[in-house]
Amino acid sequence: MQSSTDNVDQAEFKRSLISGELNPSLLELKYLKHFDLSINSFGGKVIPKFISSFKNLRYLNLSTSGFGGRVPHELGNLSTLSYLDLNNDRRIWVNMSDGISYYVFDVPAYDLHVDRLDWFSGLPSLQYLDMGSVNLSTATDWQLSINMLPSILNLHLSYCQLPNISTSLPHVNLTSLSTLDLSENWLGPQLPTWVFNSSRLVSLDLHYNDLSYPISTALGNLCNLQTLNL
């Protein structure tokens, strides 16, 4: 049973969310390097294309912001970007000092989707990418596109409705990858063989992917692995 205090906290939280339209006059901040709009309520509006004009941007966080529609390809113009978070999970979590995350609130979520990802080729400096809960079901080029991210270290594509995975890639560039999350995508029955070439992987999450046994012994090639979730 929810207490009156919980109701007050939730009401205050909802009042704190930014909504409405983003004004292009923000472009006057021409030296902007860090842009964080996470945990807001933009009512399903499309991510403004003008964001791609912040040429000095290094950090862009649009997670749980209530954006909807197609992710603009123009984000591929942010050639200096090293951090991009588009996670569309509607749940708000709080990280506690004991290391456990607690679910707190829901915010409205909208259909945020991508039709293709070839614009990744314009992001040579990207080290962190989170597109969790973004619909990638029609992005059949997703594997080839992430393979065009030479600097990527942390890749999170959980619950993205990814199309059926190819078990191999013609050439693997993901040799610096340390964290890979492809969970909740039903990509089975076999593990993708290109994962085994990412020898620097420290964390690998493939749970809820309908994988078949036996698991390939090539998993033993991941000698730096500290966390494995199957």
Side-chain angles (χ1 to χ4, degrees):
M1 182 173 174
Q2 192 176 46
S3 70
S4 58
T5 304
D6 290 336
N7 288 330
V8 171
D9 289 345
Q10 191 157 158
E12 289 179 352
F13 167 74
K14 289 181 177 179
R15 282 196 298 269
S16 73
L17 302 179
I18 297 173
S19 59
E21 299 277 353
L22 289 179
N23 196 310
S25 64
L26 286 168
L27 288 175
E28 294 179 19
L29 304 172
K30 58 184 179 180
Y31 299 113
L32 192 67
K33 293 183 178 180
H34 187 112
F35 196 15
D36 190 340
L37 288 172
S38 61
I39 312 180
N40 282 302
S41 183
F42 288 103
K45 293 181 176 64
V46 176
I47 296 172
K49 292 182 181 179
F50 73 77
I51 289 178
S52 65
S53 298
F54 288 112
K55 298 301 183 184
N56 295 301
L57 211 58
R58 306 284 193 277
Y59 178 104
L60 178 60
N61 190 345
L62 304 178
S63 64
T64 319
S65 292
F67 285 115
R70 192 189 75 177
V71 175
H73 303 160
E74 286 79 5
L75 293 183
N77 296 331
L78 298 172
S79 59
T80 61
L81 203 64
S82 63
Y83 185 106
L84 176 59
D85 193 342
L86 299 173
N87 191 296
N88 196 39
D89 193 344
R90 64 179 298 184
R91 298 165 295 178
I92 305 298
W93 299 81
V94 174
N95 295 319
M96 307 302 288
S97 58
D98 58 6
I100 299 176
S101 296
Y102 292 92
Y103 163 67
V104 185
F105 297 125
D106 275 346
V107 295
Y110 301 87
D111 175 37
L112 190 63
H113 61 270
V114 172
D115 56 349
R116 56 185 176 85
L117 291 169
D118 56 342
W119 49 273
F120 278 178
S121 62
L123 304 174
S125 301
L126 197 66
Q127 297 182 0
Y128 181 100
L129 174 64
D130 189 341
M131 299 185 78
S133 299
V134 177
N135 187 342
L136 303 183
S137 61
T138 61
T140 56
D141 63 342
W142 72 271
Q143 287 183 96
L144 292 174
S145 297
I146 63 171
N147 202 34
M148 293 189 293
L149 297 173
S151 302
I152 196 72
L153 300 175
N154 296 278
L155 179 61
H156 303 267
L157 298 177
S158 177
Y159 197 63
C160 289
Q161 303 177 54
L162 292 174
N164 268 345
I165 198 167
S166 168
T167 58
S168 63
L169 287 171
H171 178 71
V172 179
N173 292 323
L174 305 174
T175 54
S176 297
L177 199 62
S178 64
T179 298
L180 177 61
D181 182 357
L182 297 175
S183 60
E184 300 184 73
N185 281 298
W186 299 95
L187 293 173
Q190 300 299 320
L191 281 172
T193 56
W194 54 264
V195 170
F196 307 133
N197 294 323
S198 303
S199 58
R200 297 186 183 180
L201 268 181
V202 174
S203 176
L204 176 60
D205 192 343
L206 294 168
H207 79 272
Y208 285 127
N209 268 303
D210 197 26
L211 299 175
S212 295
Y213 293 92
I215 301 297
S216 171
T217 57
L219 196 62
N221 296 340
L222 304 178
C223 55
N224 290 305
L225 206 61
Q226 298 178 22
T227 302
L228 173 62
N229 190 351
L230 297 177

